[in-house]
Amino acid sequence: MRFARRGDLDGGLAAGQRTAAPRLYVLDALRLLAALMVVFFHYVALRGGWGEDPENIFPNLWKFAQYGWTGVEIFFLISGFVICMSTWGRSLGDFVVSRVSRVYPAYWVGIFLTAAVISLWPQVRQINGGFNSVLTNLTMLQTGFGVWDVDGVYWTLFIELKFYVLFAIVVATGVTYRKCVLFCALWTVVAMASVQADVKLLDQWAMPLYQPYFVAGIAFYLMYRYRPTALLWGIVALSLLLAEHQIARRVADNTTHNIPAWPARVIILVAFVLMALIACGAFNRIQWRWLSTAGALTYPLYLLHQYIGMTLIYALRDRVPRHLLVIGLVLVMLGAAWLMHRFVEKPLGTWLRKVMRSSMEEVRQHSPRPKGAVHAAKGAGAPAKAAVPSAVPEQHAGREEVREGAGSGAQRLRAYETGPYEQTAADRVGAGRPDGV
């Protein structure tokens, strides 16, 4: 089997491997599938706007929909792969610009849309904390400050944000094979320690419930960029076992019924197998461009669907046949997601990226390198100025920009954007949210 992007240990590409790797369209498909699983869970497995137990409304579909929250775990698995890939050869400033311009524009608009809907029609959900809560939510840091989420799905964004902060340590020092492996090992040890120490602050940052998915995603990308090795398979196997260990708790957090955990275990196992096949290049031949558009809808769909959708269900449940209502609502949300992507993410993201790049350049201009670093660079035969990566891609809204720098054999690294969920006990269950967070 041919492995994509083999290279040396510290990130350089081996001779003969200078050609551009194909875009992994299958990741876009997997992201959309994960998002639809979460939507299916919220619309079919929860009381939401139905006003009664959905098991009585959808006796057959409910059996499958009650496990749709596993789409969140799949998001985290993909995120580890994607973030590791998109940061290779980038500076910390580039990483910050990329993430902020990617996650915040649609999020800001989603907050105001959701807040407007549940303020005008508060039959299903209400804003706890008023307008001040809405303003705090704009930071995406509301969970850290104990502020109510405007929409139930936002808790996962805070998990993602903490992963970005942790991985930024690697980015700041330069992403290499060794550093990624060390990061995976250290995070696993700290996650284990957080369970034993029972320290809330440590647990919040170690995230033992979700750490295995991010770590496995990073290992899968190292397989894809270089080749599968016993070390990387070991990291993946350990992460899978730790993920499966947490499934019983996640099942209990996401339902008020006594349901078996094995279907969720199977879903997680299948997700790992699919990512392993992706890492080994099994899907490189799938080059269906429409999947790029489908993947672009994932994040806006995720942001908009829950509380707005539940409100629409409440308003239409006695007027439209229930199965037809669910199907129609999913289509409406996909259409709204496209509008969000086309008229919010693309223009506002481009503007925000431009503004932030200018700000980062200002930081660089007024932050000269230490003299010791300059002398070391000169002694190594390198220019005093920090070298520009041979190819630094930035993808936004289906477009990829590659800045060519000094040196030959520039490699186009594909940057795939992830992304990437009621506040009573029933709310935490309904959101796919871990109990007690």
Side-chain angles (χ1 to χ4, degrees):
M1 181 179 292
R2 181 180 66 84
F3 299 110
R5 291 189 183 135
R6 293 186 179 182
D8 63 32
L9 193 60
D10 280 328
L13 294 171
Q17 296 294 327
R18 304 293 189 179
T19 56
R23 176 185 172 91
L24 289 175
Y25 286 99
V26 69
L27 278 182
D28 294 309
L30 191 56
R31 287 170 51 206
L32 182 60
L33 175 62
L36 290 174
M37 289 172 63
V38 177
V39 173
F40 191 46
F41 172 67
H42 289 153
Y43 289 175
V44 178
L46 305 184
R47 291 178 64 92
W50 298 113
E52 60 179 300
D53 195 328
E55 185 179 8
N56 301 325
I57 304 174
F58 308 101
N60 296 318
L61 287 178
W62 177 85
K63 297 177 182 178
F64 300 96
Q66 61 188 338
Y67 297 103
W69 53 266
T70 54
V72 172
E73 274 72 359
I74 297 174
F75 276 135
F76 294 153
L77 184 60
I78 297 172
S79 182
F81 187 105
V82 167
I83 295 304
C84 187
M85 171 164 46
S86 63
T87 56
W88 215 279
R90 283 187 171 186
S91 68
L92 179 60
D94 293 332
F95 175 57
V96 172
V97 170
S98 172
R99 292 296 87 202
V100 170
S101 63
R102 176 69 181 94
V103 302
Y104 274 98
Y107 173 71
W108 287 332
V109 175
I111 285 176
F112 287 118
L113 287 176
T114 302
V117 168
I118 62 179
S119 295
L120 293 172
W121 298 281
Q123 294 85 353
V124 176
R125 292 292 181 274
Q126 298 181 13
I127 298 177
N128 189 346
F131 190 64
N132 183 60
S133 177
V134 174
L135 294 178
T136 306
N137 270 249
L138 293 174
T139 67
M140 206 180 285
L141 303 176
Q142 63 274 9
T143 302
F145 287 93
V147 176
W148 200 276
D149 291 320
V150 169
D151 197 294
V153 300
Y154 293 169
W155 72 269
T156 61
L157 303 182
F158 190 62
I159 299 293
E160 280 280 342
L161 203 61
K162 288 190 288 185
F163 169 54
Y164 298 162
V165 172
L166 293 175
F167 199 71
I169 299 172
V170 180
V171 179
T173 60
V175 183
T176 66
Y177 194 125
R178 285 189 181 93
K179 291 175 184 176
C180 287
V181 170
L182 289 173
F183 175 81
C184 292
L186 182 60
W187 194 3
T188 301
V189 171
V190 173
M192 177 184 65
S194 70
V195 175
Q196 295 297 324
D198 194 24
V199 177
K200 185 176 181 181
L201 180 62
L202 182 62
D203 181 80
Q204 285 184 343
W205 281 98
M207 300 181 288
L209 277 176
Y210 310 108
Q211 167 269 337
Y213 301 98
F214 293 114
V215 165
I218 293 171
F220 280 132
Y221 176 66
L222 294 177
M223 290 183 189
Y224 179 72
R225 183 180 179 91
Y226 299 98
R227 63 183 180 186
T229 65
L231 174 62
L232 296 178
W233 282 123
I235 293 173
V236 168
L238 178 62
S239 298
L240 175 59
L241 292 174
L242 293 176
E244 295 285 2
H245 171 71
Q246 302 286 5
I247 289 298
R249 175 179 170 182
R250 290 288 287 145
V251 170
D253 287 342
N254 285 284
T255 184
T256 56
H257 297 74
N258 185 19
I259 62 174
W262 69 263
R265 297 184 187 277
V266 171
I267 293 172
I268 297 304
L269 176 60
V270 170
F272 271 72
V273 170
L274 286 175
M275 289 299 295
L277 292 173
I278 291 172
C280 293
F283 299 110
N284 283 355
R285 293 185 179 181
I286 297 179
Q287 295 294 301
W288 304 334
R289 297 189 173 226
W290 62 270
L291 287 175
S292 178
T293 301
L297 302 182
T298 301
Y299 186 50
L301 172 65
Y302 189 76
L303 292 174
L304 294 175
H305 80 274
Q306 189 177 7
Y307 285 0
I308 295 177
M310 289 178 173
T311 302
L312 290 172
I313 287 174
Y314 177 87
L316 300 174
R317 64 188 182 185
D318 297 326
R319 304 178 184 180
V320 180
R322 295 180 175 185
H323 288 80
L324 183 60
L325 176 56
V326 170
I327 295 173
L329 189 54
V330 171
L331 294 177
V332 168
M333 287 299 168
L334 285 171
W338 183 86
L339 293 174
M340 174 83 84
H341 170 67
R342 175 64 179 82
F343 296 105
V344 175
E345 281 193 302
K346 292 178 72 173
L348 188 54
T350 300
W351 171 82
L352 185 58
R353 189 163 60 251
K354 180 179 178 180
V355 170
M356 290 193 66
R357 281 176 177 168
S358 177
S359 299
M360 288 298 176
E361 186 59 32
E362 192 77 10
V363 172
R364 295 187 182 104
Q365 288 180 359
H366 297 286
S367 303
R369 297 179 65 188
K371 292 182 179 180
V374 174
H375 291 324
K378 289 181 178 179
K385 185 177 180 180
V388 179
S390 59
V392 180
E394 181 157 357
Q395 180 186 358
H396 181 73
R399 298 180 59 190
E400 181 180 60
E401 303 171 3
V402 181
R403 299 198 301 274
E404 301 293 345
S408 61
Q411 172 78 12
R412 298 177 67 191
L413 300 180
R414 302 287 183 172
Y416 299 86
E417 310 296 353
T418 54
Y421 273 31
E422 312 177 337
Q423 291 284 337
T424 61
D427 291 337
R428 287 191 293 269
V429 167
R433 181 187 190 116
D435 188 33
V437 174

